[in-house]
Amino acid sequence: MQENLFSQDDDIWYVITDGPMKILKFNTAIAISGGEPQMVEKPRAEWSTEDKKKSNLDNVAKDIMYKTLDKNMFRNIKTCSTAKEIWEKLTQLREGNDQTKENKLTVAIQKFDNAKMKAGETMAEFDERFSNIVCELISLGKIYTNREISLKVMQALSRE
């Protein structure tokens, strides 16, 4: 049972990243050339229960994504017809294009470089704020060594 569950999860991820599954069968009407079997789309009348489940995975994936989005995000993707389209739209909305990513990275580096402990800020508050900056940089692909981070923290602390 557990193996079947993982297989379905893999199949759901497949339809999100590659699009709806096509139900195929070997083409027996055409002679096989070069030893390579040829595949054609299987008519619905020939679908097995497993074929029907695989065909429906795009709907399952869309349903999962619909249920996790708030109303504002749902408005952005409601015209998408496949799980793959939804995923691509969400990725674009969240990450942006290459120029947007570069701009986000530049801003995050500036936040890191200019980080200073604010007057009246506790160590816990500064640590949380600084950790958020470092996490943002990591998510954008910029990794600092522990030494670089430690030096920056020491420079950012107030004299008190």
Side-chain angles (χ1 to χ4, degrees):
M1 177 68 182
Q2 196 74 341
E3 185 178 317
N4 191 13
L5 176 65
F6 290 122
S7 175
Q8 184 174 359
D9 288 348
D10 291 342
D11 289 344
I12 288 175
W13 186 244
Y14 173 86
V15 300
I16 290 171
T17 58
D18 295 345
M21 287 193 173
K22 294 184 192 267
I23 308 302
L24 304 174
K25 69 174 187 170
F26 289 108
N27 185 358
T28 55
I30 299 176
I32 298 173
S33 59
E36 300 263 338
Q38 295 179 347
M39 302 296 285
V40 294
E41 202 159 329
K42 188 189 267 188
R44 282 186 186 257
E46 296 177 17
W47 284 8
S48 67
T49 303
E50 188 66 24
D51 292 338
K52 290 174 185 174
K53 286 180 185 177
K54 286 191 179 215
S55 175
N56 192 48
L57 284 177
D58 190 62
N59 291 327
V60 171
K62 288 190 300 188
D63 187 57
I64 291 168
M65 288 191 272
Y66 290 157
K67 288 178 180 176
T68 60
L69 298 173
D70 63 24
K71 290 177 185 175
N72 292 328
M73 271 305 210
F74 181 77
R75 283 187 207 119
N76 291 313
I77 57 93
K78 68 182 177 185
T79 59
C80 297
S81 60
T82 66
K84 180 180 180 182
E85 287 178 31
I86 293 170
W87 183 254
E88 289 171 350
K89 181 75 169 184
L90 291 173
T91 302
Q92 180 67 26
L93 289 169
R94 177 67 180 110
E95 296 178 4
N97 59 25
D98 289 341
Q99 184 61 48
T100 304
K101 290 177 192 176
E102 188 64 35
N103 291 342
K104 285 180 181 181
L105 179 59
T106 301
V107 169
I109 290 171
Q110 288 174 346
K111 283 184 200 175
F112 180 86
D113 291 343
N114 298 327
K116 296 277 185 215
M117 192 169 183
K118 297 176 182 176
E121 187 174 36
T122 66
M123 268 308 286
E125 291 168 338
F126 172 73
D127 180 57
E128 182 177 348
R129 188 168 57 84
F130 188 76
S131 293
N132 288 338
I133 293 169
V134 172
C135 287
E136 182 180 1
L137 285 162
I138 291 169
S139 74
L140 294 168
K142 178 69 173 165
I143 310 293
Y144 287 100
T145 65
N146 286 338
R147 185 177 192 284
E148 291 170 314
I149 291 171
S150 296
L151 286 173
K152 184 60 196 166
V153 168
M154 296 305 286
Q155 293 170 350
L157 294 176
S158 62
R159 295 202 182 266
E160 296 83 37

